[in-house]
């Protein structure tokens, strides 16, 4: 997922997060009817052996967004239905460099953590985690997921 906006782990400095949240709140409150973020979770993982990170955000209108990217690489993103109760989802994503991808997401029962395996249109594969699950918990120490 070298450049696939996907939703999934990485925490920023507390001060930056607070300022960003304050800025988002100011923007949202200035636009009546605009979707309001309910929560955001960090996403971490890798495309091939290249580390990547991003975020998944749920909005009060039922639409969720996700994105991931590698440093200096393309950004890959997509959407999902926040209210979908299923623990497993198959999503599509699109990268800023034109690649597309299929993402298989598995979520914990509370739907707030999980893992994702990705395959981009150029054959690049990725593995990601979000919420309170570590990469090692999802894929094992140094583990990789296999996508047929």
């Amino acid at each position: 997922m070298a450049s696939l906006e996907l939703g999934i782990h990485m925490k920023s400095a507390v001060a930056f997060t607070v300022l960003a949240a304050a800025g988002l709140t100011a923007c949202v409150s200035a636009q009546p009817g605009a979707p309001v973020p309910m929560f955001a979770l960090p996403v971490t993982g890798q495309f091939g052996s290249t580390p990547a990170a991003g975020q998944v955000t749920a909005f009060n209108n039922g639409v969720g967004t996700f994105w991931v990217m590698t440093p200096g690489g393309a950004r890959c993103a997509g959407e999902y239905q926040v209210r979908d109760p299923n623990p497993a989802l198959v999503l599509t994503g699109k990268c800023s460099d034109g690649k597309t991808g299929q993402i298989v997401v598995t979520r914990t029962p509370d739907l707030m953590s999980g893992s994702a395996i990705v395959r981009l249109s150029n054959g690049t594969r990725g593995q990601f985690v979000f919420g309170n699950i570590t990469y090692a918990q999802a894929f094992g120490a140094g583990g990789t997921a296999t996508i047929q």
Side-chain angles (χ1 to χ4, degrees), residues 8-72:
I8 311 178
H9 286 118
M10 186 168 183
K11 295 189 178 184
S12 300
V14 174
F16 176 78
T17 303
V18 171
L19 291 174
L24 264 178
T25 303
C27 291
V28 171
S29 62
Q31 300 173 14
V36 176
M38 296 187 306
F39 64 84
L41 300 169
V43 175
T44 58
Q46 61 189 38
F47 280 112
S49 61
T50 305
Q55 180 173 296
V56 60
T57 305
F59 293 89
N60 67 341
N61 66 353
V63 175
T65 62
F66 59 86
W67 65 269
V68 295
M69 67 183 294
T70 60

Side-chain angles (χ1 to χ4, degrees), residues 25-146:
T25 303
C27 291
V28 171
S29 62
Q31 300 173 14
V36 176
M38 296 187 306
F39 64 84
L41 300 169
V43 175
T44 58
Q46 61 189 38
F47 280 112
S49 61
T50 305
Q55 180 173 296
V56 60
T57 305
F59 293 89
N60 67 341
N61 66 353
V63 175
T65 62
F66 59 86
W67 65 269
V68 295
M69 67 183 294
T70 60
R75 177 180 165 123
C76 302
E79 293 185 348
Y80 71 101
Q81 294 303 307
V82 173
R83 295 181 183 100
D84 188 330
N86 294 302
L89 305 172
V90 177
L91 308 172
T92 57
K94 186 173 182 179
C95 302
S96 58
D97 62 1
K99 293 181 190 92
T100 58
Q102 183 177 55
I103 304 117
V104 179
V105 176
T106 303
R107 303 183 290 179
T108 57
D110 68 0
L111 308 178
M112 297 297 289
S113 298
S115 63
I117 52 176
V118 180
R119 183 173 184 175
L120 296 179
S121 55
N122 70 344
T124 299
R125 297 166 191 269
Q127 302 90 29
F128 294 87
V129 293
F130 60 96
N132 293 319
I133 291 183
T134 66
Y135 191 84
Q137 287 173 312
F139 301 109
T144 59
T146 302

